[in-house]
Amino acid sequence: MKNIRNFCVIAHIDHGKSTLSDRLLETTKTVSDRDMREQTLDDMDLERERGITIKSHAIQLTYPHTDGETYTLNLIDTPGHVDFSYEVSRSIAACEGALLLVDASQGIQAQTISNLYLAIDHDLEIIPVLNKVDMESAMVDEVSDQIIELIGCKKEDIILASGKTGLGVENVLKAIVDRIPAPKGDPEAPLQALIFDSIFNSFRGIIANIRILNGTLKKGDKVRFVNTGKVYEADEIGVLQLDYRPKPELAAGNVGYIITGIKVSKEIKVGDTITHLERPCSNAIKGFEDVKPMVFAGIFPLDNDDFEDLRDSLEKLQLNDASLVFEPESSSALGFGFRCGFLGMLHLEIVQERLAREFNQDVITTVPNVSYVAFTKKGEKIIVRNPVDLPDPTLIDYVEEPYIRAQIITKPEYIGTIMTLCMEKRGIMTKQYYLTPDRVELTFELPLAEIVFDFYDRLKSISRGYASFDYHMIDYRESDLVKLDIKLNNENVDALCALVHRDKAESFGRKICKRLKDLLPRQQFVIAIQAAIGAKIIARETISAMRKDVTAKCYGGDISRKRKLLEKQKEGKKKMRQFGKVEVPQKAFLEVLKLE
């Protein structure tokens, strides 16, 4: 066990985690030159296309140290985007050390600090690595000073490296062995293994990635999952390399996988503990915190017959993405579907894309919203995850909405425009702190609903890409919120219903009405699109009727003949308007969300 090291790589987006991981694999000859490619550990097409890591990936390296010993290094490469921070928290729970990667040309950014605090909370040994030092724009001395100020290390503790050229990779490997402590644990104690990830394989069932804290697991052992109480046999165990490498046994301190032939996704839970049936451990491992979804949206199948397929797909996706939460719901416009909880808008986009690619599920997503707490005049507390569930305004005493604390790190010249953006989003500035003369950290308290849609994109564009952004929930606060209904010919479309602040309700209603006017196809009758708060209409657009020329066949003759035909048409249109239903096309639901 003294020759095992478990570590993860943490950093802000685009600071070179995956590239450095590639060099570590190359240097330790874990991957042959033939199999080597960029972002080797990112096995999803989506990750390659977008150039981001979505899933954390575990892999085992073997490193012959200069002291003559050979060490087993278990590396977990983690995502950098704030929407996938739950992946990072799970990886950290399975490690003893972390490489803190900082881009020499960009310096410390918001997610760097956030991930660092996560690692410090778990008492991980931090190894600071300054990446991309070969770039012309690298500011080695300035960024080194930032790291020293942030974590209080010595200048010689910082390793200078380049993921692209391979510079300093040998020093990184030496530091992992010398500085990160070997895992603690007793191979003779009762088995205690933590499930930190899982994946569904259509041939083999569910494969769980585990970190063994105590005891020894052998192939063929009868094991029990503490949380679900289910008993299985370990059909295959082994270590994770680019593919699965079976082993006869895994001892304390190691990271590997277990296949038990489970086919039902509900029977396994990430964060659960595995123990032996005959000699169980006395208590379960304190895993990582339960996920708290930030954004909620309805996901509906295009065809109602696909509802069960969609449920099956979501359950399989949840195995691989533990931060996805869902429950069934129904809508009058869209039929049966699921109310899903996400960590952010990018997470929602990725889940939608993965459903389409991996499970061939084409879905419609409703307007994303956050969860609110409504208090009735009788003193009841109602959690509102769907605006349709909000009680009647006459029964509500007040509504509370979630607030976040946002940290924005930027250059001083963009402070003014960033403050304007945050004030526009109902933000309150609480702190302004200069990290260095040319880097400032701004702290704001903002309503979560305001940052859901376009905040991140606008922040990046007004700061020319320099501002970095990270946030976490603080509490719920009372707000003047109203339910905005969208009506088509006096019928509510529940899928487009939203909860908005009273001051912004009118402009939001106008935007949606204008957007729908462009998107809805014209009918034989007039369609009225209205935005309403309760019984009060605050915005309206009208789609005029398509007119069939009924008088085309009248050439010459008496005018009364034409009038008779036009009157007949008028009556028909009146009747049609009474009975005609306006169907909102699927494309409109997707497009209406892209409000400018």
Side-chain angles (χ1 to χ4, degrees), residues 3 49 69 76 80 86 119 125 141 197 239 254 256 335 343 450 488 493 512-513 548 589:
N3 285 12
E49 281 166 28
E69 296 268 351
I76 303 179
Y86 189 60
E125 178 64 38
D141 292 337
D197 204 356
V239 295
N254 221 326
L343 295 182
E450 293 285 349
L488 292 180
V493 182
I512 285 205
C513 288
K548 187 179 170 188
F589 278 112

Side-chain angles (χ1 to χ4, degrees), residues 428-590:
I428 306 156
M429 187 169 173
T430 56
K431 199 171 96 180
Q432 179 176 338
Y433 171 66
Y434 277 82
L435 299 165
T436 64
D438 64 341
R439 290 177 78 73
V440 62
E441 181 185 354
L442 306 171
T443 307
F444 286 90
E445 288 179 1
L446 288 148
L448 178 60
E450 293 285 349
I451 70 153
V452 162
F453 278 104
D454 57 351
F455 181 81
Y456 190 66
D457 295 340
R458 284 183 62 190
L459 177 71
K460 281 289 179 194
S461 60
I462 62 175
S463 66
R464 296 188 189 161
Y466 279 111
S468 63
F469 169 68
D470 181 46
Y471 65 88
H472 57 268
M473 276 279 295
I474 39 177
D475 54 12
Y476 280 79
R477 298 181 189 177
E478 191 178 330
S479 279
D480 187 10
L481 297 167
V482 290
K483 182 169 124 190
L484 184 74
D485 290 314
I486 301 296
K487 296 171 182 280
L488 292 180
N489 278 356
N490 283 329
E491 277 190 32
N492 282 354
V493 182
D494 57 358
L496 294 175
C497 176
L499 271 180
V500 287
H501 195 267
R502 194 180 293 276
D503 297 348
K504 300 196 169 186
E506 194 177 325
S507 64
F508 187 71
R510 281 181 197 280
K511 277 182 189 172
I512 285 205
C513 288
K514 274 194 181 137
R515 199 96 176 105
L516 278 173
K517 185 181 179 182
D518 297 338
L519 292 167
L520 291 181
R522 283 171 73 190
Q523 305 286 348
Q524 297 274 343
F525 52 92
V526 174
I527 303 172
I529 305 166
Q530 296 167 312
I533 298 170
K536 185 184 173 192
I537 306 293
I538 57 164
R540 172 178 170 134
E541 292 285 340
T542 308
I543 299 177
S544 55
M546 275 198 296
R547 185 169 169 270
K548 187 179 170 188
D549 191 358
V550 287
T551 60
K553 61 187 176 197
C554 301
Y555 47 93
D558 192 31
I559 187 71
S560 60
R561 181 161 163 68
K562 285 188 179 179
R563 270 203 199 116
K564 186 179 159 191
L565 287 167
L566 288 169
E567 284 300 318
K568 195 175 166 189
Q569 185 187 34
K570 198 172 168 186
E571 285 302 311
K573 291 244 189 267
K574 203 171 175 184
K575 197 172 179 183
M576 207 185 275
R577 192 166 176 191
Q578 276 177 325
F579 301 110
K581 273 185 78 73
V582 183
E583 287 291 327
V584 183
Q586 318 296 15
K587 183 175 149 252
F589 278 112
L590 305 175

